[in-house]
Each structure stands twice: as structure tokens, then as C-alpha cells.
Amino acid sequence: PEIGPQTLSLYFNGENMWLASDGRADILRDLPAEEAANMAEALPAFLSGKYRCWKEEAPPRPEGVYARSSFNERCDLIYERPCNIMDSGYDPTSPVSYDTGIIAEDFLPYVNEYNSWVTGRGAVLLFTFTPVNRAGIREGEGEAEILAFAEHVIRQLDCPVIGDPRDLVLDPEWFYDSNVHCNSAGTLVYTRLLAEAVKAWQGDTSPTRVPIPEKPPMQGRQEEEQGEDADAGCFVYEETERGYVITGLTAQGASRQTLTVPVHTPDGKAVRGLSASAFAGNTVIREIRLQSNIRALENHSFDGCTALVAVYLAPGEAPSYCQVDPSGGLTAGAPHLRIYVEKDKLTDYLFNYFWSGYGSVLEGY
């Protein structure tokens, strides 16, 4: 499992389960009874989405890495991920932490139950670690935290734990759209490391014949963004390693009901990001328009924005170019918020790894 609080838990999403079982209702029989309330709560949103597809005669046809066409008949991912597409080479919205506290209390016991089920049928369960973007590890964490994390897992699990997570901290060039998703070249690197870990557990000392490709070039920003800067004087800016980031509102900005996030500061410097403090706590703002220079939104960015009803994402943007934490923390503290995306891209957002958790608040424009 990926190293994160959602994947190291028994997280369950009712709306995603309805989508997964659409046309295969028989799989619902295997759901634990305790998930019934979650499923019931998610049913209205699922039915609403189905009705919208029927009314508009527009069945979901997602594109990109999360489309059915991106997998072959063996479920191998065949969608080409040529390089790191993250703006700064890492995802600032979901830093990877090796704090053992991110592991839910019931997760490792559940793995042990699964191990008993697997071994009872004559198979062997192995637990290992996933690649992690070196640039995306939480500040202040290093080898000591990684080792403590691995030791905690090893002590708690009954099944063999293979591989050294320190070997899986890889350079940003091997990743695609998150701190734990490899690009096409990176998957070959991980395949080799995984094969070596399995062979070491088996005592196999034969050569591993998985060639390591050349590092792909970093994509970065291809050109300077163009856009609207009329509201540039409404924001407070701070220079960071990523460039100029918006960290707050001026008195003028704090009194406005609608704002467009600029692509340049008042003196012409490129704006590269939006911190979680920029709008948090503002009870006046009702509408925020983002442009293509904002490629990541942190959790709690709109916390306390009780009047906020609309955030518009830039037109023409694929979901993976505007990163959010898939756990759903972006909308926390903004009870009336709806997120608007270009109508032609709505399906892509609804089925995107990062954005699907926000399906209930997504609208097309």
C-alpha cells in the first residue's frame, strides 16, 4: 500500500462503491454490514450523477491514465506517462510522512487476518513498500524515521516484510503525477527493486534482468502563463523556493466578494502557487476564480470561508495538472462550496484519482 493515512487504513467510500458495483450488483453481497449506513448516505449523489448522464445523454467517458482504455486485457497499465508533470517536481498537497501515527490502529490487524486467510489456502502473503518521491517527503523526516516506520510494521505483521524502504526513496525524475505514482520509466525501476526484494527473500542470487532506463527529463513549466492580473493588488505574496506564492489577502482583497487569482504580482513576478492561508478564515468571499498558474490546492485552503459558494478551476486543464489531496480535505470548513470545472472536463475530474473524492461538490461550467 502507498505510504499515506488513507491507504494505511480501512478507508471506505460509498459513492465509489456504487460506481464500482454499477452493473455488478452481486458484489454488494460481500460488503460488511457496518458499511450499510455509508452506502445509504452515498446513494443520492450516485443516483443524481446517473440521472444527469441520462438526461444529458452523456455517459462517462474519462480520458487519461484513469480510463479503462489505459489498461490492457491483463489489467497492465499501458497509458504512457513520459515524465514528471508536477509543477515543482513533487506534490506539495500530500507530503509523504513516515510517522507511524498515520497507520490506522485496525489496519495491521486486518492485514494479519488477511494473511491467515491467504496462508490457509496454501499461498504466501508478502508485504512491501512503495516508491516515494525524495522531494515529496515531509520536511525534517529522514532515514531514522523511515527505519522506525519499517520496524513498526515488521513487529506488527505476521507475514514476511520484504524490501528496504530506504532503497525506494527515488529521485523526482521517476515520478508522474504524485509523490507515490511512478512514470513509465519509474515503473521499470520499481519492478527491478521489487524483483530483487522477492528474490532476496527466496534466497535467489541470480542476476535480475530488468534494465534501468535513462532518467526522463523534468517537464517543468513550458512557458510563462498568460492571464488576468486585475486583482493582483488584493493579495499578499511571499517568495519561496517555488517562486512567488500567495499567502494572504490585503485589506482591499479581504473585503471583496469575488476575486480572480492573478498570474503575476503587481510588479510583474510570476505567481507559482497558493498557500492554505491565502483565503482561510475569510467570511466575505463568495467566488474565487483560479487560472492555469495554480496547479495545487492544499487541504483547508478555504477553511472558515462560510460565504464561499464557488471556486472555478482554469478552463482546459486536465485534472492531474491541478493537484489536491484525494482524502477530501480541500473543502473542509467551507460548507456551501461548489467546485466548478470546464463542462467538457467534468467526467475526467469525477473519475480522477485525486478529484473523485470531491464528486459531490463538482459542477460543470
Side-chain angles (χ1 to χ4, degrees):
E2 296 172 357
I3 297 175
Q6 186 183 98
T7 43
L8 294 172
S9 73
L10 302 188
Y11 170 82
F12 180 86
N13 183 296
E15 190 168 352
N16 284 347
M17 190 67 231
W18 282 119
L19 289 169
S21 62
D22 194 10
R24 279 292 311 277
D26 58 296
I27 66 175
L28 296 176
R29 292 197 302 263
D30 295 325
L31 281 180
E34 58 265 27
E35 302 297 357
N38 195 319
M39 293 292 288
E41 182 181 352
L43 184 58
F46 168 70
L47 293 177
S48 174
K50 290 272 286 186
Y51 175 72
R52 180 168 55 190
C53 290
W54 172 79
K55 183 179 180 182
E56 298 178 2
E57 297 182 352
R61 292 191 177 91
E63 299 177 355
V65 68
Y66 301 104
R68 182 175 181 174
S69 59
S70 297
F71 298 83
N72 64 17
E73 66 278 2
R74 297 187 304 274
C75 286
D76 298 327
L77 182 58
I78 58 175
Y79 183 85
E80 183 61 27
R81 288 99 62 220
C83 61
N84 187 325
I85 66 171
M86 294 178 282
D87 187 34
S88 302
Y90 70 99
D91 177 6
T93 71
S94 303
V96 175
S97 174
Y98 289 93
D99 183 344
T100 57
I102 69 172
I103 306 175
E105 290 185 6
D106 54 0
F107 177 73
L108 296 178
Y110 179 82
V111 175
N112 285 333
E113 289 179 20
Y114 183 59
N115 179 58
S116 296
W117 186 87
V118 166
T119 55
R121 282 152 181 78
V124 176
L125 177 69
L126 302 177
F127 187 100
T128 189
F129 306 94
T130 54
V132 169
N133 185 343
R134 189 185 313 279
I137 296 176
R138 189 180 298 278
E139 186 176 356
E141 295 192 15
E143 183 171 330
E145 287 75 19
I146 296 173
L147 283 173
F149 184 90
E151 290 168 2
H152 175 79
V153 171
I154 292 168
R155 284 197 306 269
Q156 299 291 323
L157 289 182
D158 299 333
C159 63
V161 178
I162 65 170
D164 186 333
R166 294 173 297 180
D167 296 336
L168 296 168
V169 176
L170 307 178
D171 292 336
E173 287 88 345
W174 300 118
F175 292 84
Y176 179 57
D177 62 355
S178 90
N179 294 326
V180 290
H181 290 175
C182 289
N183 54 37
S184 296
T187 60
L188 294 176
V189 175
Y190 181 51
T191 296
R192 182 183 175 99
L193 290 168
L194 183 58
E196 290 174 342
V198 173
K199 289 169 67 175
W201 170 74
Q202 293 176 323
D204 183 347
T205 58
S206 65
T208 301
R209 293 183 174 87
V210 179
I212 300 297
E214 291 186 10
K215 280 184 179 179
M218 297 289 287
Q219 175 175 274
R221 299 197 184 222
Q222 301 303 305
E223 58 185 25
E224 188 72 23
E225 274 85 1
Q226 300 298 315
E228 176 60 57
D229 292 328
D231 292 339
C234 295
F235 296 90
V236 175
Y237 307 88
E238 181 179 319
E239 187 174 10
T240 70
E241 60 179 15
R242 288 192 288 156
Y244 282 86
V245 172
I246 292 173
T247 58
L249 301 173
T250 63
Q252 177 189 0
S255 66
R256 293 274 297 276
Q257 291 191 350
T258 63
L259 283 171
T260 297
V261 174
V263 296
H264 298 98
T265 65
D267 57 353
K269 301 291 193 308
V271 175
R272 298 300 198 191
L274 188 70
S275 77
S277 64
F279 292 100
N282 183 287
T283 59
V284 177
I285 191 75
R286 292 182 54 82
E287 180 183 300
I288 298 169
R289 290 186 175 270
L290 305 178
Q291 301 188 81
S292 59
N293 59 320
I294 303 303
R295 301 189 181 179
L297 292 171
E298 297 182 34
N299 281 349
H300 304 285
S301 286
F302 311 111
D303 195 0
C305 296
T306 52
L308 184 63
V309 294
V311 170
Y312 287 85
L313 301 190
E317 291 294 296
S320 293
Y321 283 87
C322 188
Q323 294 171 305
V324 291
D325 185 339
S327 67
L330 175 64
T331 56
H336 309 297
L337 173 60
R338 309 291 292 182
I339 298 175
Y340 291 84
V341 303
E342 195 174 19
K343 189 174 182 179
D344 290 346
K345 299 287 184 182
L346 180 58
T347 294
D348 290 347
Y349 277 83
L350 290 171
F351 289 90
N352 179 264
Y353 171 84
F354 302 99
W355 285 97
S356 61
Y358 301 93
S360 62
V361 299
L362 286 173
E363 298 282 353
Y365 70 85

